[in-house]
Amino acid sequence: MLSRYLPIFIILSILAEILGTVGGFGSSVFFVPMASYFMDFQTVLGITALFHLSSNITKLGFFRKGFDKTLMLYLGIPAILFVSIGAFLSKYVNPELLTLILGIFLLLFGLLFLINKNLIVSASKKNALIGGTLSGLIAGLLGTGGAIRGATMTAFNLNKEKFIATSAIIDLGIDLSRSIIYTYNGYVNKKDLYLIPILIGVSIVGTYLGKKVLDKITQAQFKRIVLFLLVGIGILTIIFNLK
């Protein structure tokens, strides 16, 4: 089926990479539901992890103006640890229920901060640990936890370059961990490996175009875009899950 619709798949993958770059939390939140139309869910998990490796390496090349060391430590380490647990449990947990819960959470979180602009989540180490744990666990189970990581990181008011660079380096560790376990679980099939060089090209083109968009927006606009994307992802996730 995928070979028949490969051009459409590539175009949608580039769009997912652009949106993921602009939002700052990676393309998987868009790529996973899109790719699920073309292949089974476990194959999507394996391909997404490999795709994200090249995607985040590309982002680190384009956005290298520093990282937030506190977030790398308190959000990144639990995310990397718990993604391994989630990846292992992905063989046993019902993904539909978790996907629905994720969609509802993202929708409510985004709306809450868009409606109440004065609402502040404490930029604390405790919240970073909680966000890292949840994002890692969900990334392992569902292939995408970047939106939860992005939701957590918005509390720290990073500039957009540091936001994306910090998110990318944490995501790189997450993808390395889950790629190993997904391969062990049998999610990475030889017949799908031809997609890897294609998706490497997609990650470069999509990240480049996303950076061009980011260069033209302000920091305040960037934060609102992140929240609007969280709401949009939440709505789409719920709709796709209820079909």
Side-chain angles (χ1 to χ4, degrees):
M1 177 182 175
L2 179 57
S3 59
R4 182 179 176 184
Y5 298 103
L6 188 58
I8 297 174
F9 177 81
I10 292 173
I11 292 171
L12 291 176
S13 298
I14 292 174
L15 180 60
E17 186 66 34
I18 293 171
L19 292 174
T21 300
V22 173
F25 39 75
S27 59
S28 66
V29 287
F30 304 100
F31 182 81
V32 168
M34 180 275 294
S36 296
Y37 278 103
F38 299 94
M39 58 190 78
D40 66 86
F41 185 72
Q42 291 184 341
T43 300
V44 170
L45 291 180
I47 291 296
T48 300
L50 296 176
F51 173 34
H52 249 211
L53 284 174
S54 62
S55 174
N56 287 307
I57 291 171
T58 302
K59 284 184 178 63
L60 291 174
F62 281 110
F63 301 94
R64 50 181 184 272
K65 296 184 179 179
F67 309 97
D68 188 289
K69 295 180 181 178
T70 299
L71 282 176
M72 286 173 60
L73 179 63
Y74 287 92
L75 196 153
I77 290 178
I80 293 170
L81 291 175
F82 276 86
V83 74
S84 301
I85 297 172
F88 178 76
L89 293 176
S90 64
K91 294 180 69 174
Y92 310 103
V93 179
N94 183 341
E96 286 80 12
L97 177 60
L98 288 174
T99 303
L100 180 61
I101 293 172
L102 175 65
I104 294 171
F105 168 78
L106 295 176
L107 174 61
L108 294 178
F109 184 96
L111 285 176
L112 182 64
F113 279 84
L114 284 171
I115 294 171
N116 190 346
K117 298 179 182 179
N118 296 320
L119 184 63
I120 298 175
V121 172
S122 173
S124 65
K125 294 175 180 178
K126 177 183 177 181
N127 285 339
L129 284 168
I130 294 172
T133 298
L134 289 176
S135 66
L137 186 63
I138 295 300
L141 287 168
L142 300 177
T144 171
I148 292 179
R149 184 176 61 253
T152 303
M153 291 176 65
T154 55
F156 288 79
N157 287 316
L158 306 178
N159 67 61
K160 52 190 177 182
E161 289 83 7
K162 184 175 286 188
F163 185 107
I164 294 172
T166 303
S167 181
I169 199 167
I170 292 172
D171 217 5
L172 187 61
I174 288 172
D175 291 326
L176 283 169
S177 300
R178 64 176 172 160
S179 292
I180 295 171
I181 297 176
Y182 286 163
T183 302
Y184 175 78
N185 285 348
Y187 297 174
V188 180
N189 302 308
K190 290 182 179 180
K191 64 181 179 65
D192 298 314
L193 294 180
Y194 75 96
L195 290 172
I196 301 305
I198 294 174
L199 291 174
I200 290 174
V202 165
S203 68
I204 295 171
V205 173
T207 301
Y208 174 78
L209 293 175
K211 186 177 186 302
K212 288 295 184 181
V213 174
L214 279 172
D215 289 341
K216 298 181 182 298
I217 63 177
T218 66
Q219 183 67 27
Q221 289 172 328
F222 171 73
K223 189 167 183 178
R224 287 186 63 79
I225 286 173
V226 171
L227 292 173
F228 275 116
L229 286 175
L230 289 175
V231 171
I233 295 164
I235 293 172
L236 290 175
T237 301
I238 295 169
I239 291 173
F240 290 149
N241 191 73
L242 293 178
K243 281 187 176 180

